[in-house]
Amino acid sequence: MANRAVVIGGGAIGVAAAHSLTLAGWQVTLIDRGEVGRGCSYANACLVTASHAVPLPAPEVPRELARWLLRPDSPVYVKPRLDPGFLRWGWRFLHACRAPAAQRGTAALGALARASLGLFEEMVAAGGVEFGYRRDGLLHVYLTEGGVRKAARDLEALQRAGIPARLLTRAETLEFEPTLAGCIRGGMYVEGDAHGDCYAYVRALAVGVQARGGRVLTGRPASLIRRRGGRVEGVEVRGPEGVIPADLVVVAAGAWTPSLLAPLGVRFPMEPAKGYSCTLPGFAGSPAVPVFVEERRVAITPLDGRLRVGGTLELAGYREGIHPVRYRAVVDAAQEVLGQTLPLDRAEAWEGFRPLPPDGLPVISRVPGIDGLLVAAGHGTLGFTLSPITGRLVADLAEGRPPMVPLEAFRLDRF
């Protein structure tokens, strides 16, 4: 009998893990508390990007946060609260903003993203997974002269990482993407980045899991990971199955991962970072390539007859509901750079919790002291980008083979 695996979480990371495990011959059951792909994978910015593979903590971030702290429409919003867990997370976050830690994190995350882009290319070339994948690059645009100066520094960092990019003057930017408004001061085109429909990707991978004999169970919240002695033996779910036996359990539940690990005595510091998006039918004046508005931290992504506008990173706990000021800031940024009023009467508004560890790096790791338990979570805003490599690394760990990418930076016991 094939080894049995349960993957908890039906987003991009969990489905990619299930995909890779079934390819390796595991008998996989994928479970999700809701529907597959309806969390952060449903309406994110849909970028597949190595150029954005930079941890959120960085030396300049504390200064920016101080400037944004009391602005509800800022690109990053932090709601102050006297929660001990949040205060510990914040202390670790500030520690990770120091230059040496940020440089190590950038190198590790960049290697992960570049490997993942290669796996996307292999997947698309092999066929069978249709999600509108296009490698059209990513156009960064700048609204201020300060942003243009920062672009020159960013270009140097990208070139050191081997990512092809070039600076554009204001005139060159407007010629490259004629739908942009005259407020643009300059641009930078990153050639190797890609985009695609993340929700379609997740659904396609889930279909492939089932085609290889795996089970996909929705509406099955995991209530407890069961273990006997020092190893896992299954997962309790709220559903007719009761307990699903397993030789391997992969926790890929995004922002809900810490609550599943806590009963096992495993601590995973993570904050839910809420993001917003607005999806519109395609219209005259939509850009031909994805655009990232640097000063607003907003992405504008064309998606096969639709336009997705997404952004904002809100640290306010697990508070659901769309904050109208922050949602409107995302929409206004797109209207500003496109120079027109968007058809919001036909828009779909969305919110989602991105899982953010304090150092901005995901966990892809065995759980020390519990055989058969793996964690793949904490990918922040890069879940779609990093999903293929994370799935491959989960299979590497499960099979006991050397990992495709070094995993030292992504160990759970670093906290």
Side-chain angles (χ1 to χ4, degrees):
M1 175 184 287
N3 288 331
R4 302 162 301 177
V6 173
V7 178
I8 305 173
I13 299 299
V15 174
H19 166 80
S20 292
L21 287 169
T22 57
L23 289 175
W26 286 74
Q27 180 183 313
V28 174
T29 300
L30 173 70
I31 64 173
D32 191 84
R33 63 203 293 268
E35 298 179 37
V36 168
R38 293 291 295 196
C40 278
S41 299
Y42 179 66
N44 58 34
C46 287
L47 300 178
V48 176
T49 170
S51 67
H52 282 211
V54 178
L56 178 61
E60 68 274 9
V61 168
R63 183 176 64 254
E64 292 178 345
L65 287 177
R67 179 164 52 92
W68 289 335
L69 186 60
L70 299 178
R71 280 184 48 196
D73 63 343
S74 62
V76 178
Y77 175 77
V78 181
K79 179 178 176 61
R81 58 190 194 274
L82 296 176
D83 171 24
F86 176 68
L87 294 175
R88 286 193 296 270
W89 183 94
W91 177 254
R92 286 190 167 118
F93 179 91
L94 292 174
H95 182 81
C97 286
R98 297 188 301 179
Q103 290 165 2
R104 289 192 299 270
T106 297
L109 203 57
L112 206 61
R114 291 189 292 275
S116 209
L117 274 167
L119 293 178
F120 267 114
E121 294 291 313
E122 290 179 15
M123 184 185 300
V124 171
V129 183
E130 297 293 332
F131 57 103
Y133 178 84
R134 299 186 59 171
R135 201 159 186 179
D136 292 339
L138 175 62
L139 178 63
H140 291 240
V141 298
Y142 304 89
L143 303 175
T144 64
E145 293 304 323
V148 172
R149 290 191 294 272
K150 180 178 181 296
R153 298 191 297 272
D154 291 343
L155 177 67
E156 293 178 4
L158 292 174
Q159 290 173 335
R160 287 195 300 271
I163 298 172
R166 67 180 189 270
L167 293 179
L168 303 174
T169 65
R170 178 178 181 275
E172 289 169 337
T173 305
L174 296 175
E175 181 180 4
F176 185 92
E177 182 49 77
T179 62
L180 296 174
C183 62
I184 301 301
R185 291 289 173 266
M188 179 172 65
Y189 177 60
V190 183
E191 298 177 18
D193 283 348
H195 68 284
D197 187 332
C198 183
Y199 182 58
Y201 163 83
V202 169
R203 302 289 290 188
L205 287 190
V207 168
V209 167
Q210 292 173 305
R212 290 187 293 274
R215 292 193 299 168
V216 177
L217 304 178
T218 57
R220 302 294 201 285
S223 55
L224 184 68
I225 299 168
R226 297 181 66 166
R227 67 173 173 176
R228 184 183 297 275
R231 72 166 300 108
V232 297
E233 62 175 7
V235 178
E236 291 184 14
V237 298
R238 297 183 195 131
E241 296 78 13
V243 176
I244 303 173
D247 306 297
L248 173 75
V249 174
V250 181
V251 187
W256 287 267
T257 296
S259 62
L260 290 169
L261 296 176
L264 300 171
V266 178
R267 293 185 65 251
F268 184 176
M270 180 194 291
E271 280 294 310
K274 187 189 288 189
Y276 298 111
S277 77
C278 170
T279 305
L280 306 132
F283 57 92
S286 295
V289 301
V291 173
F292 188 77
V293 188
E294 188 70 33
E295 288 91 342
R296 307 289 186 263
R297 311 302 294 173
V298 166
I300 306 169
T301 312
L303 293 171
D304 290 336
R306 294 169 294 147
L307 188 71
R308 173 77 45 77
V309 178
T312 296
L313 195 147
E314 175 186 321
L315 295 171
Y318 290 89
R319 184 174 60 182
E320 295 185 348
I322 291 177
H323 191 290
V325 173
R326 287 190 278 285
Y327 174 73
R328 188 70 204 194
V330 172
V331 172
D332 287 347
Q335 295 185 141
E336 180 182 11
V337 300
L338 296 178
Q340 61 178 297
T341 301
L342 300 180
L344 297 178
D345 57 318
R346 295 178 289 159
E348 179 184 9
W350 174 87
E351 60 165 338
F353 293 114
R354 287 83 60 94
L356 186 64
D359 59 2
L361 300 178
V363 168
I364 308 167
S365 174
R366 296 185 178 93
V367 175
I370 307 178
D371 290 341
L373 182 59
L374 301 180
V375 176
H379 294 71
T381 61
L382 294 169
F384 185 26
T385 293
L386 300 179
S387 58
I389 186 60
T390 301
R392 175 72 67 87
L393 291 168
V394 165
D396 290 344
L397 289 170
E399 294 284 285
R401 62 196 183 208
M404 184 177 176
V405 174
L407 287 175
E408 186 64 29
F410 310 112
R411 291 170 58 96
L412 179 60
D413 59 8
R414 71 183 189 263
F415 297 116

